């Protein structure tokens, strides 16, 4: 397949490119597009054949459910069973990096929701994403636009590297703003559950809801299959270092052959230092950091960030990259 790349001005995207891209979606094709979190690989969420192409292009297991991307909150009404809490959350936090899991209506094909009776919805805060969804006239199923298991793409060059020849179009809207994926909250049951920490801060959500978010136990892990797989892994080892701790590299490794990424003064003389001025910038740079550093250095030491705000989601991505989270 020949993949076409289009560069768009996010604040004034070319209407002809958008219309043609929407035609590709309506005909069952794949279009990668920017969101505020990471780039997504979009297809018509209501067309099972189109959704199957996403799994094939990414090399992703098909029991891993996808997020349906909307351009307006009202679109949720015909896709899932809504209640007051869902409407209030959407009114407060959409568009933005918050994905809500609700009981699905039958219009959503089982393949889109990985066979579950729930579906995940989100309204991205990005003008190209909104315009593409609006022009397509359907919700877009969109996982991150990377080959399964690789760090998620935060710019179009990375999407191109992973998916060139496997998708119809890539829309380049420049680098993203948040850098890690959305926060996924299950509100299909009475107690809201934090299924995946991400761009939307847990503290703000808990303050709004007036209750602490539950965290998945073994059973609800099965309800969010995406959390089972190893993700975000660079090709070289990643070690976590907390400020104040001694640096522990395996025998035979020298920090001069490794790279450091984080917020603090590195604990040794590293071959390369990728230092961020804030935890928000760390989140913006973590995935491209993994991808660029892995090509040159023997390993990466990643600083353990503070937990608040986007730090919780960043911790999760670093843990997974270091592969010391429980995985499969
Ligand atoms: O920021 C994001 O969320 C990005 C951009 C492109 O929007 N998308 C993204 O999609 O990260 P993906 O497919 O890589 O991650 C979707 C997550 C997975 O952890 C999946 O298990 C969970 O959402 N999920 C989707 N549907 C679900 C459902 N019905 N129940 C529980 N978890 C669900
Ligand atoms: Mg992903």
């Amino acid at each position: 397949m020949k993949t076409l790349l289009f560069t768009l001005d996010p604040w004034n995207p070319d209407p002809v490119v958008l219309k043609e891209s929407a035609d590709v979606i309506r005909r069952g094709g794949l279009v990668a597009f920017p969101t505020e979190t990471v780039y997504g690989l979009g297809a018509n969420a209501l067309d099972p054949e189109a959704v199957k192409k996403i799994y094939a292009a990414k090399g992703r297991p098909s029991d891993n459910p996808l997020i349906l991307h909307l351009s307006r909150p009202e679109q949720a009404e015909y896709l899932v069973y809504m209640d007051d809490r869902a409407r209030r959350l959407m009114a407060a936090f959409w568009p933005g990096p918050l994905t809500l899991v609700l009981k699905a209506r039958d219009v959503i094909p089982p393949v889109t929701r990985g066979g579950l009776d729930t579906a995940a919805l989100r309204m991205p805060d990005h003008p190209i994403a909104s315009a593409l969804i609006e022009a397509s006239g359907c919700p877009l199923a969109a996982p991150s636009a990377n080959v399964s298991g690789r760090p998620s793409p935060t710019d179009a060059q990375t999407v191109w590297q992973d998916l060139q020849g496997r998708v119809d179009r890539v829309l380049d809207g420049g680098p993203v703003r948040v850098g890690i994926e959305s926060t996924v909250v299950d509100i299909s049951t009475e107690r809201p559950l934090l299924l995946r920490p991400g761009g939307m801060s847990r503290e703000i959500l808990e303050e709004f809801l007036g209750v602490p978010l539950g965290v998945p136990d073994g059973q609800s892990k099965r309800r969010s299959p995406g959390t089972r797989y190893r993700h975000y892994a660079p090709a070289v080892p990643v070690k976590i270092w907390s400020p104040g701790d001694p640096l522990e590299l395996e025998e035979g490794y020298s920090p001069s052959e490794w790279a450091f990424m984080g917020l603090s003064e590195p604990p040794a003389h590293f071959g390369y230092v990728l230092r961020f001025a804030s935890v928000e910038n760390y989140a913006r740079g973590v995935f491209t950091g993994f991808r660029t550093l892995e090509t040159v250095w023997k390993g990466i030491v990643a600083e353990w960030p503070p937990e608040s705000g986007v730090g919780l989601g960043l911790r999760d991505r670093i843990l997974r990259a270091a592969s010391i989270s429980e995985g499969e």
Side-chain angles (χ1 to χ4, degrees):
M1 176 191 296
K2 189 166 187 293
T3 304
L4 301 181
L5 174 71
F6 297 89
T7 302
L8 295 176
D9 173 353
W11 302 109
N12 186 14
D14 184 334
V16 175
V17 172
L18 282 173
K19 187 194 167 296
E20 289 169 357
S21 303
D23 290 342
V24 170
I25 294 285
R26 275 195 300 271
R27 285 198 300 267
L30 301 181
V31 177
F33 62 94
T35 80
E36 81 281 32
T37 56
V38 299
Y39 273 71
L41 174 56
N44 179 353
L46 306 182
D47 174 351
E49 294 312 311
V51 171
K52 282 182 200 156
K53 291 183 194 165
I54 294 180
Y55 293 112
K58 277 184 65 95
R60 168 166 169 151
S62 60
D63 67 339
N64 197 347
L66 302 171
I67 297 171
L68 289 87
H69 293 68
L70 313 182
S71 53
R72 283 173 281 128
E74 313 86 85
Q75 293 158 347
E77 304 277 348
Y78 83 99
L79 295 169
V80 293
Y81 294 96
M82 294 278 280
D83 56 23
D84 269 357
R85 184 175 57 183
R87 288 189 193 96
R88 282 194 301 120
L89 282 164
M90 290 171 186
F93 299 113
W94 282 7
L98 173 65
T99 295
L100 296 170
V101 173
L102 287 147
K103 285 270 180 284
R105 293 185 189 268
D106 289 340
V107 286
I108 306 177
V111 62
T112 305
R113 39 188 161 106
L116 301 173
D117 62 0
T118 54
L121 306 183
R122 128 171 163 83
M123 179 175 163
D125 184 15
H126 196 291
I128 295 176
S130 304
L132 178 65
I133 299 163
E134 198 63 25
S136 301
C138 58
L140 296 189
S144 48
N146 53 296
V147 166
S148 198
R150 296 281 295 143
S152 296
T154 55
D155 58 33
Q157 290 78 358
T158 307
V159 176
W160 186 257
Q161 271 169 24
D162 271 24
L163 297 179
Q164 190 222 126
R166 301 180 185 213
V167 304
D168 295 289
R169 287 179 169 224
V170 176
L171 304 184
D172 181 353
V176 301
R177 172 169 63 80
V178 177
I180 61 170
E181 300 87 341
S182 61
T183 299
V184 181
V185 177
D186 186 342
I187 50 165
S188 68
T189 52
E190 201 174 307
R191 174 111 200 260
L193 283 180
L194 179 63
L195 297 184
R196 179 180 73 182
M200 172 86 225
S201 120
R202 171 185 173 162
E203 302 90 291
I204 292 175
L205 282 168
E206 291 184 337
E207 197 187 309
F208 182 86
L209 289 165
V211 288
L213 292 171
V215 281
D217 54 21
Q219 205 195 339
S220 27
K221 274 250 145 116
R222 276 195 293 283
R223 286 171 39 208
S224 185
T227 51
R228 289 204 315 258
Y229 302 103
R230 184 165 183 242
H231 269 107
Y232 320 113
V236 296
V238 175
K239 288 250 168 221
I240 296 172
W241 170 78
S242 296
D245 284 359
L247 180 68
E248 282 164 18
L249 295 183
E250 264 111 66
E251 190 133 3
Y253 284 128
S254 148
S256 63
E257 296 171 323
W258 280 49
F260 173 88
M261 69 197 281
L263 300 160
S264 310
E265 186 69 38
H269 186 78
F270 281 87
Y272 188 84
V273 174
L274 181 58
R275 199 161 164 193
F276 300 101
S278 66
V279 68
E280 289 76 22
N281 285 355
Y282 193 178
R284 286 180 188 119
V286 68
F287 286 139
T288 49
F290 285 151
R291 284 190 185 243
T292 51
L293 299 176
E294 73 177 6
T295 62
V296 180
W297 304 100
K298 289 202 170 148
I300 300 164
V301 170
E303 178 175 339
W304 194 231
E307 191 181 18
S308 63
V310 78
L312 186 67
L314 180 57
R315 282 186 170 189
D316 170 78
R317 306 311 185 269
I318 292 170
L319 257 183
R320 288 164 186 274
S323 210
I324 57 176
S325 63
E326 93 324 346
E328 284 201 342

